[in-house]
Amino acid sequence: MASTILSSTQFYIISGVLVLGVLIGLILMSKPEKARFGNALSAACTLVAIAVTMYNYKILPSTIIWVSIAIGAVVSLAAAAKVKMIQMPQVVALLNGLGGLASALVAILSYFQAEDKFSLYTAEVALVIGFVTFTGSLVAAGKLHKLLPQKPVVIPGHTVIIIVLMLATLVCVVLNAPIWITAILASAFGIIFAVRVGGADMPITISLLNSLSGVAGGIAGIAVGNVLLVAIGGIVGASGLLLTRIMCKAMNRKLLSILLGSTSVKAPVSEEKEEAEEAEEAAPAQEEVKAALTPDEILKDAKKIIIIPGYGMALAQAQSKVKALADKLEEKGAEVKFAIHPVAGRMPGHMNVLLCEVDVPYDKLYEMDVINPEFAGCDAVIVVGANDVINPAANTAEGTPIYGMPVLNAADAKYVIICNFDENPGYAGVPNPLYKNSNTLMLLGDANETVQSIIDCI
């Protein structure tokens, strides 16, 4: 083991204080008014942890380390300045991947310097999880950025291939196979697993990959004998896993099903055709009723209104218009609430961040389980750029990516105003029968313009 400047006791005490700071920061992040301070506190403690580690292992004077840090800082700050809020999900996925790659590189160095079997095996496990996280996150980022197909990509024998890759990787670790073979198998598993994920499962996948990046870091810490890295990695892994569990429960999903891709399948063609034909037959009679609906008539006497934001709002950057609409409705005496679906957007909390960015009070944001019983008693629902999360087909369209997914009960409201770009199916590719309901008013086009048109007429 490399010589250190600090004694074990000193290093453990400092590590404990820094880990506590990270934990306090995470706790503060759950409180909107203190989230920024919590984020800054966790980041500062992590920075100090890096500095302490460099000092303790006598690598502060290393020129190449400081040059690398400088290059990384310049690149990251330049990239961060250009990233839009709408691109945050793919950035999070990319950063998860880079965390996994960093752990894999540490594991490779530890593997070749291992002095005992324990260090050897922990290095291999860290390498596997690191490469799975890296390649899986790259695929997820590519899907979110539309560089890869956003819908599930299913190849023949997909589930069998995933299982074989998992078992083969495990055998390589147990038998201590050449590290490059293990790395290739782990990377292939990450790609094959992530490419099949689509629709409502993507936010769950991102939180899972976030957890894996922490787990990889923690195991890499075990491999190199750094208790501070073990603790920080464990915190990231545990928090990500808890979020994944919460997301799975909210989405009525099983984690194993997502890993094997069994929930991300395409709807049978015959069923899609049947739904389309039924919609076309019902459309003429319903269009006559819809023609009589206007936003001012719907909202004139509305006392209870629920606004549902979605990815389209983020894409159009229409959150400020949505805030202006809510303010105007409240000036007229209406009660306005925001319904937040667990997977609205492309990552957990995406809508919360966008709305808080324009100073929508956090106490007006309601989770799905809390707000769903209120739809039946509200006068109007205003949907801004949401589709899959309000699609009642989730209750009936077996074999589709959203089947069994809990959705917001917008269809139960007296009236529904939908401000979407078009009538095309959402991310999951499932037609939305709500669009054809007689009490639904479709305002198609850019959300900034359609929401402004509502503001102008009330």
Side-chain angles (χ1 to χ4, degrees), residues 160-224:
V160 174
I161 293 174
I162 289 177
I163 294 174
V164 169
L165 285 172
M166 289 176 63
L167 294 176
T169 303
L170 179 61
V171 169
C172 284
V173 171
V174 172
L175 298 181
N176 193 22
I179 195 169
W180 63 269
I181 296 179
T182 307
I184 291 175
L185 289 173
S187 299
F189 173 79
I191 294 171
I192 299 298
F193 146 66
V195 78
R196 188 169 182 173
V197 177
D201 295 335
M202 184 55 73
I204 299 175
T205 303
I206 291 177
S207 64
L208 175 62
L209 290 169
N210 175 265
S211 175
L212 289 179
S213 69
V215 172
I219 297 177
I222 295 175
V224 299

Side-chain angles (χ1 to χ4, degrees), residues 293-295 382-383 416-423 440-447 449-451 453-454 457:
L293 296 177
T294 60
I382 301 175
V383 179
V416 181
I417 301 175
I418 298 180
C419 300
N420 283 359
F421 187 75
D422 52 39
E423 293 188 9
T440 299
L441 172 63
M442 299 293 294
L443 298 178
L444 303 181
D446 184 274
E449 298 175 2
T450 52
V451 174
S453 69
I454 299 176
C457 73

Side-chain angles (χ1 to χ4, degrees), residues 23-366:
L23 285 171
I24 293 174
L26 286 176
I27 293 172
L28 293 177
M29 283 186 216
S30 65
K31 305 177 187 299
E33 66 279 3
K34 299 178 180 178
R36 289 188 177 181
F37 175 74
N39 184 55
L41 177 60
S42 292
C45 288
T46 304
L47 178 61
V48 174
I50 295 172
V52 168
T53 300
M54 292 173 64
Y55 169 75
N56 190 41
Y57 290 95
K58 305 175 185 178
I59 56 178
L60 272 177
S62 175
T63 303
I64 191 171
I65 293 291
W66 288 106
V67 170
S68 300
I69 290 175
I71 294 174
V74 171
V75 172
S76 61
L77 289 173
K82 293 184 178 180
V83 172
K84 300 177 181 177
M85 184 60 68
I86 186 65
Q87 298 171 325
M88 195 56 65
Q90 48 264 52
V91 172
V92 170
L94 182 60
L95 292 176
N96 286 341
L98 292 178
L101 179 61
S103 298
L105 293 177
V106 171
I108 291 173
L109 294 176
S110 177
Y111 177 86
F112 288 111
Q113 297 177 2
E115 299 176 353
D116 51 54
K117 288 285 186 180
F118 179 78
S119 298
L120 192 67
Y121 284 120
T122 52
E124 284 206 79
V125 172
L127 177 137
V128 169
I129 300 176
F131 274 115
V132 168
T133 305
F134 175 59
T135 56
S137 296
L138 287 184
V139 172
K143 280 175 167 282
L144 292 169
H145 205 58
K146 299 182 180 180
L147 297 176
L148 297 173
Q150 293 182 292
K151 294 182 179 180
V153 176
V154 183
I155 60 178
H158 207 127
T159 301
V160 174
I161 293 174
I162 289 177
I163 294 174
V164 169
L165 285 172
M166 289 176 63
L167 294 176
T169 303
L170 179 61
V171 169
C172 284
V173 171
V174 172
L175 298 181
N176 193 22
I179 195 169
W180 63 269
I181 296 179
T182 307
I184 291 175
L185 289 173
S187 299
F189 173 79
I191 294 171
I192 299 298
F193 146 66
V195 78
R196 188 169 182 173
V197 177
D201 295 335
M202 184 55 73
I204 299 175
T205 303
I206 291 177
S207 64
L208 175 62
L209 290 169
N210 175 265
S211 175
L212 289 179
S213 69
V215 172
I219 297 177
I222 295 175
V224 299
N226 188 322
V227 67
L228 185 52
L229 181 55
V230 173
I232 299 295
I235 291 172
V236 175
S239 59
L241 192 59
L242 285 172
L243 178 59
T244 302
R245 183 179 181 278
I246 292 171
M247 296 290 289
C248 285
K249 184 177 180 181
M251 297 305 302
N252 194 27
R253 295 291 197 238
K254 292 182 178 179
L255 185 56
L256 182 60
S257 297
I258 295 173
L259 287 172
L260 298 179
S262 59
T263 62
S264 297
V265 295
K266 296 181 179 179
V269 176
S270 58
E271 183 178 339
E272 290 182 348
K273 288 183 177 180
E274 183 178 344
E275 289 179 357
E277 290 172 359
E278 290 177 356
E280 289 177 1
E281 292 175 1
Q286 292 173 345
E287 286 298 331
E288 295 178 3
V289 179
K290 285 186 179 184
L293 296 177
T294 60
D296 57 325
E297 291 175 338
I298 293 175
L299 301 174
K300 180 174 60 177
D301 299 318
K303 297 301 180 185
K304 186 173 182 178
I305 300 169
I306 298 175
I307 298 176
I308 302 176
Y311 182 66
M313 183 192 76
L315 195 63
Q317 290 292 280
Q319 56 267 32
S320 58
K321 291 292 177 67
V322 171
K323 171 66 162 59
L325 172 60
D327 289 343
K328 191 162 186 180
L329 289 169
E330 288 179 333
E331 289 173 5
K332 291 173 58 66
E335 178 189 18
V336 179
K337 295 182 178 181
F338 290 81
I340 309 297
H341 193 279
V343 296
R346 292 295 183 266
M347 70 177 184
H350 197 182
M351 294 301 103
N352 304 63
V353 172
L354 290 174
L355 293 172
C356 288
E357 184 184 33
V358 293
D359 297 323
V360 172
Y362 197 79
D363 58 6
K364 292 184 182 296
L365 309 182
Y366 292 83

